[in-house]
Amino acid sequence: MAIKLSMIVAALCFLPAAIAFTGHRHFARPSSALSATRKPIIAGNWKMNPRSREEAEELAKCAAEATQAGTPGDVILCVPHPYMETVQRAIAGTKVKMAAQGIFFEDSGAFTGSVSSCMVKSMGCEYVLAGHSERRTIFRDDDSSINRKVRKALNNGLKVILCCGESFEEYNSGLADVVCR
């Protein structure tokens, strides 16, 4: 039962990205000129899930097993910080890559609860999320701080997944096209 549940959770984690590749009305396909230079990614943001390291390991293994060697682009798990080491071990030697869910824009200092780009890179992250709508609305990340985070990540060799989307409420209200312009 646990493995089947993990497979369902993994599928749900990748559902938003899969919808983007099908041409859902809220997502634009890149022009053919951009397609030649862009590398597709499928990223699943775990948010504040799962509840244990053991569940994180099982979910990462399931995602790794489900990812075929010929899958185009990168398959990325956006993992809560406490599970990074466990997930990195579980996906080692597979096509799956790991992203941090966020960083702070300083390398070190008295910033309790924050993590730096150097820290997440040392844990095996190749990517980092920046500008997620929940970070913007709940934690009040503004464009200036997001810009600083993006620049810090890029300067330290991380690839950035810059989120520029609508909140859940805006999406449900049909405002996605307006917000994302």
Side-chain angles (χ1 to χ4, degrees):
M1 176 67 175
I3 292 177
K4 288 183 182 181
L5 179 60
S6 292
M7 292 172 80
I8 292 168
V9 172
L12 291 175
C13 287
F14 292 122
L15 183 61
I19 290 170
F21 286 108
T22 65
H24 187 272
R25 68 182 176 89
H26 292 301
F27 300 97
R29 291 178 182 257
S31 70
S32 59
L34 287 176
S35 295
T37 59
R38 283 188 167 177
K39 179 177 174 180
I41 64 170
I42 298 174
N45 182 7
W46 290 7
K47 302 184 182 257
M48 201 170 77
N49 296 296
R51 292 181 177 220
S52 73
R53 184 176 39 151
E54 294 77 18
E55 290 174 350
E57 180 177 24
E58 186 175 347
L59 185 55
K61 286 179 179 178
C62 182
E65 289 171 12
T67 303
Q68 302 297 320
T71 302
D74 288 341
V75 174
I76 305 161
L77 303 178
C78 305
V79 179
H81 297 117
Y83 303 140
M84 286 182 174
E85 185 174 0
T86 298
V87 168
Q88 186 58 33
R89 280 195 313 268
I91 63 173
T94 72
K95 187 167 177 57
V96 179
K97 300 181 183 312
M98 187 170 65
Q101 293 180 342
I103 58 163
F104 192 59
F105 47 74
E106 297 291 344
D107 286 330
S108 63
F111 306 105
T112 302
S114 297
V115 297
S116 71
S117 58
C118 302
M119 291 174 178
V120 299
K121 189 172 180 181
S122 75
M123 296 299 294
C125 288
E126 293 184 39
Y127 289 86
V128 63
L129 290 177
H132 195 283
S133 62
E134 294 159 2
R135 297 296 309 180
R136 292 174 189 262
T137 57
I138 298 169
F139 298 99
R140 304 286 185 232
D141 281 4
D142 60 16
D143 289 346
S144 175
S145 67
I146 293 165
N147 182 30
R148 292 176 72 184
K149 292 174 183 185
V150 167
R151 291 170 51 162
K152 180 57 75 173
L154 293 172
N155 287 338
N156 284 323
L158 291 170
K159 298 170 191 168
V160 177
I161 301 171
L162 179 60
C163 305
C164 49
E166 73 282 5
S167 68
F168 184 67
E169 291 78 19
E170 291 166 334
Y171 177 81
N172 285 335
S173 298
L175 298 172
D177 290 335
V178 174
V179 173
C180 295
R181 287 190 198 267

